[in-house]
């Protein structure tokens, strides 16, 4: 027998532990969210009178995984809760998969709610374990476990789940064959799953000769009384040394004794007693039909690296295309075209890998709504739609906070108290919905309620108070559209005022939510109607990793401006100048004096700024070196060419726009549109961030990408 | 030549943990699978010396995967990775052709002992 190699004592190294913690956090969170989502499906199925076998199975798998993870990480509280939930789910599932609607009929109606409570508690326990907090509320956990056990006990087990159907299990007093030895085996006290271990012993022994007279019979091994001691007969022709070796090779064997047998008695097959019940053992586990594979998980850093390489492939392709154009080789040009198509497809695939369905976020929302409803005393039903819409994981992670804000507001301040709803002729239960859908390269998320709508009057009054009278009257005179209303609501001074919260019932944390959405490169829109409700719509990019930009040159440097926020480009012909006298020659204007110039864009005057002046005012990262991939360290222009204010006769203006605010940026030349991979830029000390990142250009230089919303806020703050 | 292993578990955490234990013992992890279907496919393609198999996996459970794998290769050496309280399933897996089992949470020494028993 081969001696097992000495296993190194495997203590947790500090590094190791951190790595396992991170893995645990990622995976336990994901499965907690999946379990919660599946349990919502359970509730829905039960409400519709359907057997929720699939949903139970999905929940079971996730809970089971959490149990394993928690046990491995010694998070006992999580493991205990997961174990109890798993048992309850298994009991319910075996009832449900037996197709017995009667089984569901006899499930207490409170069970789905109990399961959801358990999912919440599991979520909390997982978060506490991740935070390193001791499992708190152990008593409430115990109560929950007890309730789960009670619920599991209440479910009639489907007949298929029982294992006592085999008649061969009865001890048969049969004698030994002529010429046999009796083998007595005692398993180690520490042996896990002794019945399974004993089975391996029998199989090993069975490789030597016919196994007979097994006692206690194998079907009894799974009963509580089995202590790991059993015996069987083997033909005496088998050498004793090899019997002992074979038995010990099964593992976890504490003792083997081999004795001569008593006189022969007619034969009955002990092997059959082992083999037959096995064929009948059934379990519903692990056989869901038609589920799509979750796939292999990749480290995010790997994907980033892959995307960087795709970006560089695009750069190389562009250079190759230029070379092909110079030589005029048509075969080469065609090949370059093929490379381009493959590179584009590759980029799409890599980006798709970064996307995850919103389900994971959605799974956390019912809990938020229930809590908000409980604390605010509202009766609210939540509808979720579009969980299959996929988005960059980084964006989804950042969405939890703003969506949570909006949802809590919708419940606590959007939906009216029941009596007011009744007075308005509405059903007593308020409706809150979160919907997601895809529009080209954007993902839209709407948080809607059927409440009373935002009280414009109250918001205006409060704004007027804050601004000291005069401005308020002006604002009141003009009808306030939804965009203007949102601006007022999300102004920090207004939104945090408790009085407005009480009066208008809106705006708590709206500035924070808006800031979070902006950080994700998104925008927020509001629609509200008195008596009908309010909808906040978030528009988010699909990914932060790739962006369509217009590459421009100004003052000898290259810049990138996201197309998403580009309203139009204008040449600087006099026709567009709102005030030619004030503008003078825009190219000669001192950078800091840009305030005086205006352009007409879509019938309205917009301020004209010089891009390089803006850049210098906010500490340009254009000369950044050493960032990004190899070869990316070169600034995009030589120092001589970068001298400020180099006049150019070919000036154009880019009108950029975000959330209803527009500014025109004067640049020397527009080079073209590109889809580029965004690379993070190092933090700029002591300057406001108006660059969302950088990208590598065909010539290897780095072009900063303008963060239009930040830039516009900076402009309006001046 | 290092002995090769295919690791089948739907949890990355578990795959990583089992992989680390086996790599430390000199195994080469030639593949991983997160579902039973993947496990069967990859076994056919890789023909590893050893397979570690979770019991509860989506798509096709570990037990069915063992059944398929041993149909494919009666000499396949499959180590079941089980949780406490899954005795009936482990026995079913053994009947389906698995050679041995270990119980979570994994102790490296136990895993390696089981592996050596299987490969002995």
């Amino acid at each position: 027998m081969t001696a097992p190699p000495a296993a190194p004592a495997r203590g947790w190294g500090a590094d190791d532990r951190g790595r396992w913690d991170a893995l645990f956090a990622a995976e336990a969170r994901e499965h907690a969210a999946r379990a919660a989502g599946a349990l919502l499906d359970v509730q829905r199925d039960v409400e519709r009178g359907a057997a929720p076998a699939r949903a139970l199975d999905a929940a079971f798998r996730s809970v089971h995984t959490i149990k394993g993870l928690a046990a491995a990480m010694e998070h006992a509280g999580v493991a205990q809760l997961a174990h109890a939930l798993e048992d309850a789910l298994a009991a319910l599932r075996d009832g449900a998969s037996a197709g017995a609607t009667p089984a569901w009929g006899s499930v207490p109606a409170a069970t789905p709610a109990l399961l959801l409570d358990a999912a919440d508690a599991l979520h909390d326990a997982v978060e506490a374990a991740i935070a390193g907090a001791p499992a708190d509320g152990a008593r409430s956990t115990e109560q929950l476990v007890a309730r789960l056990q009670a619920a599991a006990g209440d479910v009639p087990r489907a007949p298929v789940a029982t294992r006592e159907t085999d008649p061969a299990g009865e001890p048969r007093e049969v004698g030994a064959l002529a010429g046999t030895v009796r083998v007595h085996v005692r398993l180690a006290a520490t042996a896990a799953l002794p019945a399974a271990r004993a089975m391996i012993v029998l199989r090993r022994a069975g490789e030597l000769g016919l196994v007979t007279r097994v006692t206690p019979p194998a079907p009894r091994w799974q009963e509580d009384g089995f202590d790991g001691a059993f015996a069987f007969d083997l033909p005496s022709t088998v050498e004793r040394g090899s019997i002992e070796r074979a038995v010990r090779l099964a593992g976890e064997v504490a003792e083997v004794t081999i004795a001569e047998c008593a006189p022969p008695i007619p034969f009955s097959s002990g092997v059959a007693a082992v083999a037959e019940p096995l064929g009948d053992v059934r379990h519903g586990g692990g056989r869901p039909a038609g589920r799509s594979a979750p796939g292999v998980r990749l480290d995010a850093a790997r994907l980033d690296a892959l995307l960087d390489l795709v970006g560089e492939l695009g750069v190389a392709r562009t250079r190759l295309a230029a070379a092909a154009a110079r030589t005029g080789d048509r075969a080469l040009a065609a090949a370059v075209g093929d490379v381009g198509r493959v590179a584009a497809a590759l980029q799409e695939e890599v980006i798709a890998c970064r996307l995850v369905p919103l389900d994971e976020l959605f799974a956390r929302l019912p809990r938020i709504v229930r809590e908000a409803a409980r604390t605010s005393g509202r009766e609210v039903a939540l509808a979720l739609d579009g969980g299959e819409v996929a988005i960059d994981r980084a964006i989804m992670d950042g969405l939890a906070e703003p969506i949570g804000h909006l949802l809590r507001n919708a419940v606590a301040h959007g939906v009216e108290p029941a009596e007011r709803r009744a007075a308005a002729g509405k059903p007593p239960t308020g409706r809150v919905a979160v919907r997601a859908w895809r529009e080209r390269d954007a993902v839209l998320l709407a948080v809607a309620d059927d409440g009373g709508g935002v009280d414009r009057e109250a918001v205006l009054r409060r704004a007027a108070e804050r601004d000291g009278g005069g401005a308020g009257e002006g604002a009141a005179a003009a009808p306030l559209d939804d965009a203007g209303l949102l601006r007022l609501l999300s102004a920090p001074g207004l939104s945090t005022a408790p009085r407005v919260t009480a009066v208008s019932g809106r705006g708590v944390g709206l500035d924070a939510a808006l800031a979070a959405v902006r950080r994700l490169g998104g925008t927020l829109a509001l629609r509200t109607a008195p008596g009908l409700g309010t909808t906040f719509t978030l528009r988010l990019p699909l990914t932060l990793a790739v962006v369509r930009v217009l590459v421009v040159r100004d003052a000898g440097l290259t810049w990138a401006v996201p197309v998403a926020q580009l309203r139009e480009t204008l040449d600087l012909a006099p026709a567009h100048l709102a005030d030619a006298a004030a503008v003078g020659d825009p190219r000669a204007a001192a950078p800091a004096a840009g305030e005086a110039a205006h352009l007409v864009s879509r019938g309205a005057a917009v301020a004209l700024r010089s891009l390089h002046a803006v850049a210098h005012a906010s500490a340009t990262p254009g000369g950044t070196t050493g960032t990004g991939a190899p070869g990316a360290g070169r600034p995009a222009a030589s120092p001589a060419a970068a001298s400020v204010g180099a006049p150019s006769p070919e000036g154009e203006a880019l009108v950029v726009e975000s959330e209803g605010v527009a500014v025109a940026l004067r640049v020397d030349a527009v080079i073209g549109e590109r889809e580029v991979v965004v690379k993070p830029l190092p933090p700029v000390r002591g300057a406001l961030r108006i660059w969302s990142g950088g990208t590598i250009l065909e010539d290897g230089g780095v072009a900063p990408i303008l963060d239009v919303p930040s830039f516009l806020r900076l402009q309006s703050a001046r | 030549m290092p002995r090769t292993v295919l690791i089948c578990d739907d949890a990355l955490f578990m795959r990583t943990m089992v992989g680390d234990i086996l790599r430390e013992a000199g195994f080469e992890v030639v593949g991983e699978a997160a579902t039973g279907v993947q496990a069967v496919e990859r076994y056919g393609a890789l023909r590893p010396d050893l397979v570690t198999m979770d019991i509860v996996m989506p798509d096709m459970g570990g037990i069915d995967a063992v059944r398929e794998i041993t149909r494919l290769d009666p000499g396949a050496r499959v180590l079941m990775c089980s949780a406490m309280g899954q005795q009936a399933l482990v026995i079913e897996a053994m009947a389906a052709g698995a050679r041995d089992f270990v119980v979570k949470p994994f102790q490296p020494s136990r895993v390696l002992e089981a592996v050596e028993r299987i490969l002995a």
Side-chain angles (χ1 to χ4, degrees):
Chain A
M1 172 180 171
T2 314
R10 209 182 153 77
W12 298 108
D15 287 356
D16 261 6
R17 180 79 205 190
R19 187 166 147 242
W20 294 117
D21 281 343
L23 273 170
F24 172 81
E27 210 143 27
R29 273 194 180 121
E30 182 184 324
H31 281 283
R34 274 199 207 164
L39 289 173
L40 272 180
D41 290 345
V42 170
Q43 187 178 39
R44 196 196 52 208
D45 285 348
V46 171
E47 280 168 4
R48 288 199 306 222
R54 280 173 59 114
L56 281 169
D57 209 54
F60 176 87
R61 278 205 311 277
S62 285
V63 172
H64 177 79
T65 300
I66 291 172
K67 183 177 89 167
L69 301 176
M73 295 298 287
E74 290 160 1
H75 294 310
V78 178
Q80 188 204 1
L81 190 55
H83 185 76
L85 182 53
E86 188 191 63
D87 277 353
L89 291 172
L92 291 167
R93 179 190 56 186
D94 291 344
S97 62
T101 344
W104 270 106
S106 56
V107 168
T111 298
L114 170 64
L115 294 178
L116 285 171
D117 282 349
D120 284 357
L122 191 59
H123 169 273
D124 288 348
V126 164
E127 289 300 327
I130 290 168
D136 63 339
R139 216 181 31 197
S140 63
T141 300
E142 266 169 34
Q143 284 170 2
L144 195 56
V145 167
R147 286 167 61 206
L148 283 170
Q149 283 166 349
D154 285 350
V155 179
R157 300 297 293 249
V160 72
T162 62
R163 296 183 199 92
E164 285 76 46
T165 51
D166 187 71
E170 285 314 301
R172 298 177 190 176
E173 209 33 76
V174 293
L177 289 172
T180 58
V181 291
R182 184 108 183 118
V183 183
H184 294 269
V185 179
R186 193 165 52 77
L187 296 179
T190 52
L193 313 187
R197 182 61 56 193
M199 229 204 99
I200 296 176
V201 172
L202 273 205
R203 191 163 60 193
R204 290 279 186 182
E207 287 165 7
L208 302 173
L210 184 61
V211 173
T212 50
R213 225 159 55 100
V214 182
T215 51
R220 288 280 177 85
W221 292 347
Q222 289 186 55
E223 293 172 10
D224 280 342
F226 183 58
D227 60 1
F230 61 104
F232 54 89
D233 288 356
L234 272 177
S236 54
T237 48
V238 181
E239 194 230 322
R240 294 191 179 197
S242 54
I243 294 176
E244 182 163 358
R245 268 198 302 280
V247 168
R248 290 202 180 271
L249 202 48
E252 312 276 4
V253 171
E255 201 183 330
V256 192
T257 53
I258 302 166
E260 291 294 346
C261 269
I265 300 181
F267 147 66
S268 163
S269 170
V271 172
V274 176
E276 280 168 20
L278 294 174
D280 281 355
V281 172
R282 293 260 161 63
H283 200 288
R287 252 171 286 173
R291 277 291 163 121
S292 64
V296 174
R297 202 176 316 191
L298 274 178
D299 191 351
R302 276 254 161 97
L303 278 178
D304 287 347
L306 202 52
L307 197 57
D308 275 354
L309 291 174
V310 170
E312 284 170 29
L313 180 62
V315 169
R317 188 208 64 85
T318 309
R319 285 215 300 274
L320 202 54
R326 268 199 309 279
T327 58
D329 185 331
R330 290 169 70 178
L332 180 58
V336 170
D338 287 344
V339 170
R341 273 188 295 281
V342 173
L346 184 59
Q347 176 174 313
E348 219 164 86
E349 285 297 318
V350 174
I351 289 170
C353 287
R354 301 171 58 97
L355 305 184
V356 290
L358 282 164
D359 276 330
E360 208 179 306
L361 171 69
F362 278 17
R364 291 148 80 172
L365 303 183
R367 160 191 181 78
I368 292 174
V369 167
R370 273 187 291 143
E371 262 169 25
R374 204 177 306 156
T375 50
S376 62
R378 297 290 197 278
E379 221 179 290
V380 177
L382 171 68
L384 296 171
D385 189 27
E388 74 285 356
V389 174
I391 197 166
D392 198 309
R393 170 169 284 284
I395 298 177
M396 189 181 71
D397 289 347
L399 276 175
E401 183 202 329
I403 293 286
H405 267 301
L406 294 173
L407 208 47
R408 274 188 288 271
N409 277 353
V411 173
H413 307 303
V415 172
E416 318 92 320
E419 62 272 21
R420 212 183 315 152
R421 290 184 69 87
K426 292 180 179 181
T429 300
R431 293 184 52 84
V432 174
V434 179
R435 274 187 288 275
W437 69 98
R438 175 96 179 255
E439 265 181 27
R440 300 209 305 152
D441 285 344
V443 170
L444 283 90
L445 265 166
V447 179
D449 65 65
D450 71 343
V454 179
D455 185 341
R456 279 163 208 265
E457 297 292 306
V459 173
L460 280 170
R461 269 200 306 278
R462 177 64 188 124
E465 283 169 26
R466 185 197 55 184
D467 297 343
E473 279 160 34
L480 184 62
D481 65 5
D482 284 344
L485 186 61
L486 179 61
R487 267 199 296 281
L488 283 182
L489 282 172
S490 55
L494 188 108
S495 63
T496 55
R499 256 189 77 190
V500 169
T501 307
V503 174
S504 74
R506 273 287 166 178
V508 183
L510 198 54
D511 55 332
L514 182 58
V517 171
R518 281 173 170 160
R519 273 198 299 277
L520 300 172
T523 60
L524 185 63
L526 165 71
R527 283 191 60 172
T528 182
L532 293 179
T534 305
T535 302
F536 284 95
T537 305
L538 287 74
R539 175 181 284 270
L540 296 150
L542 195 57
T543 173
L544 297 175
V546 170
V547 62
R548 260 204 111 63
V549 296
L550 201 62
V551 178
V552 299
R553 269 185 108 66
D554 193 46
L557 291 167
T558 311
W559 321 87
V561 178
V563 169
Q565 283 111 10
L566 195 62
R567 184 199 280 179
E568 59 181 337
T569 61
L570 302 167
D571 62 20
L572 285 173
H576 294 297
L577 297 178
D579 183 352
V583 173
D585 177 5
R587 283 168 289 277
E595 296 90 307
H598 284 80
L599 280 185
V600 176
S601 167
R602 307 221 172 133
V606 296
L608 180 65
R609 302 271 187 273
S610 155
L611 179 55
H612 71 260
V614 166
H616 283 279
S618 66
T620 175
T624 301
T625 59
T627 60
R634 203 141 40 87
S638 68
S643 63
V644 173
S648 160
E650 306 292 324
E652 292 194 59
L654 314 178
V655 181
V656 293
E657 175 177 39
S658 172
E659 287 157 24
V661 181
V663 162
L665 290 168
R666 197 200 60 77
V667 299
D668 291 340
V670 172
I671 295 171
E673 206 174 308
R674 308 261 193 286
E675 192 166 71
V676 296
V677 175
V678 180
K679 287 171 167 297
L681 291 173
V684 185
R685 264 195 303 277
L688 286 154
R689 240 357 237 278
I690 63 164
W691 312 103
S692 57
T695 188
I696 303 176
L697 298 170
E698 293 93 277
D699 61 3
V702 177
I705 300 168
L706 186 66
D707 177 351
V708 172
S710 298
F711 164 69
L712 289 174
R713 278 196 297 286
L714 183 67
Q715 292 296 301
S716 51
R718 275 178 181 170
Chain B
M1 224 172 67
R3 294 176 297 181
T4 54
V5 57
L6 169 68
I7 297 177
C8 312
D9 198 310
D10 59 339
L12 171 65
F13 180 95
M14 287 299 173
R15 292 201 302 273
T16 310
M17 180 171 266
V18 172
D20 278 10
I21 291 170
L22 292 176
R23 263 188 288 267
E24 223 165 272
F27 277 84
E28 185 190 354
V29 178
V30 289
E32 296 189 0
T35 72
V37 170
Q38 283 177 6
V40 175
E41 273 172 12
R42 278 172 206 171
Y43 186 87
L46 300 167
R47 295 283 171 150
D49 299 319
L50 175 71
V51 182
T52 73
M53 182 76 69
D54 190 19
I55 290 185
V56 180
M57 285 193 293
D59 215 338
M60 176 198 280
I63 293 169
D64 286 351
V66 170
R67 207 166 276 131
E68 288 299 315
I69 286 174
T70 43
R71 186 172 303 159
L72 210 63
D73 173 9
R77 290 156 195 271
V78 184
L79 174 66
M80 297 309 290
C81 298
S82 126
M84 284 306 284
Q86 287 189 321
Q87 183 144 268
L89 290 178
V90 171
I91 289 175
E92 198 184 349
M94 295 294 133
R99 298 295 180 95
D100 209 324
F101 66 93
V102 285
V103 175
K104 301 172 191 175
F106 298 130
Q107 286 169 292
S109 60
R110 293 241 169 162
V111 173
L112 294 177
E113 280 163 15
V115 164
E116 293 304 330
R117 285 197 298 265
I118 288 184
L119 296 179

